[in-house]
Amino acid sequence: MRWSYTIGKIAGTDIKVHITFLLIVGWWALIGYSDGGPGAALTSALALLALFVCILLHEFGHILMARRFGVRTPDVILLPIGGVARLERIPDEPRQELLIALAGPAVTLAIVGILLAILRLSGSHADVAQLNENQPFLAQLVSVNLYLLLFNLIPAFPMDGGRVLRALLASRLGLLRGTRIAATLGQTFAVLGGLYGITKPEPLLVLVAFFVFLGANAEAATVETRLAGQGLQVSQMMVTDFRTIPVHATLNQAVELLLSGEQREFPVLDNLGRTEGILTRDNLIRGLSQKGPQSTVAEAMTTGVPSVQPTLGFQEALDRLRASRLPALPVVEVRGVLVGLLTMDNITDLLLVRRAGQVVR
Ligand SMILES: [Zn+2]
């Protein structure tokens, strides 16, 4: 997700904040300011930051449950619709997904219970069913957590309720149909909510609807890609017709190679035919402007490029390609021979063909 910033790391999971989440903190503080001056603005902003902690606890409910089933979570991102913990994979059994999905709301429910008990024991009778910035800090926090809980239980993607629904549907209809139904519900919900938000007008609701729509889309796309690539291995998805460039070639020669065909990334080989790195188009352009056309490929290429083996499975290969942030990875056999190039373009083409129902390779 673009426009997000990593602010820390807890138990191996990167904590990221989306810029719009910070905008909401500002927005909420502004509302507080216009109603009750600087003091109210501070209370409102603090309440949202406390909410931030509550959302994180909710997400760690998911994360710790996922870990019990051997599913890792590389990062969690905080959006205006709450947090999204990115699971490395969808758990194998629907029952596991069900438990992971429910663990977050269970944490939120516990938070609501504890905060409400503290609130009542301290003698407050504030109505927590209504969010009101004139109420005590703790009452506001309970209210927002209640909203968060109810919102997350909506049975549509990308909310937790959508995951519960998918898990229930997947055991009968299969993962793909279950996902499509939950995602379509999410999109419908987003469009209706967005339209309502525009006519009100309620900008916050429009923003939430926007993220729900994107989230539902992303969820459906992830599962479709995964299923389309099921059973594939790197040897079936790599480019086998490609050019390489020697490590001592000049950038001028690399330019000729680039312009002579469609290929944009070139594996760089040493005298013994070993892969030393990759020269991407960006590498080439930067090398030309900083060091000139007579400098060598060795000075401009990307080194330390991870290679993949031809027998590696689809999902793992895709994850490694994405993690490398490179447009292409060299495919190298056990003996060290370069046999192919793994590129996102080629994978996309292959999946399109497979989805169209053709049997390939
Ligand atoms: Zn959740």
Side-chain angles (χ1 to χ4, degrees), residues 237-317:
M237 48 204 260
M238 65 189 185
V239 178
T240 49
D241 186 8
F242 62 94
R243 310 279 294 270
T244 61
I245 192 163
V247 70
H248 51 73
T250 64
L251 291 189
N252 237 345
Q253 290 170 308
V255 169
E256 274 170 38
L257 200 56
L258 178 76
L259 297 179
S260 69
E262 298 284 329
Q263 195 179 334
R264 290 183 195 157
E265 298 84 28
F266 302 92
V268 181
L269 303 186
D270 68 8
N271 293 335
L272 299 170
R274 288 176 306 209
T275 312
E276 289 285 310
I278 274 205
L279 185 75
T280 66
R281 191 176 54 173
D282 289 351
N283 287 156
L284 181 52
I285 302 300
R286 196 174 309 131
L288 280 173
S289 71
Q290 289 177 356
K291 299 195 174 91
Q294 291 310 317
S295 58
T296 63
V297 165
E299 294 173 77
M301 68 182 185
T302 303
T303 53
V305 175
S307 61
V308 288
Q309 288 193 1
T311 49
L312 194 68
F314 172 79
Q315 195 59 50
E316 175 105 44

Side-chain angles (χ1 to χ4, degrees), residues 58-59 62 83 101 104-105 152 160:
H58 169 112
E59 291 309 318
H62 294 304
N152 264 306
D160 292 332

Side-chain angles (χ1 to χ4, degrees), residues 55 58-59 61-62 81-85 100-105 108 148 152 158-161 163:
I55 291 177
H58 169 112
E59 291 309 318
H62 294 304
I81 56 170
V84 177
I100 296 171
L102 288 174
T108 303
L148 192 70
N152 264 306
M159 280 72 75
D160 292 332
R163 247 162 254 288

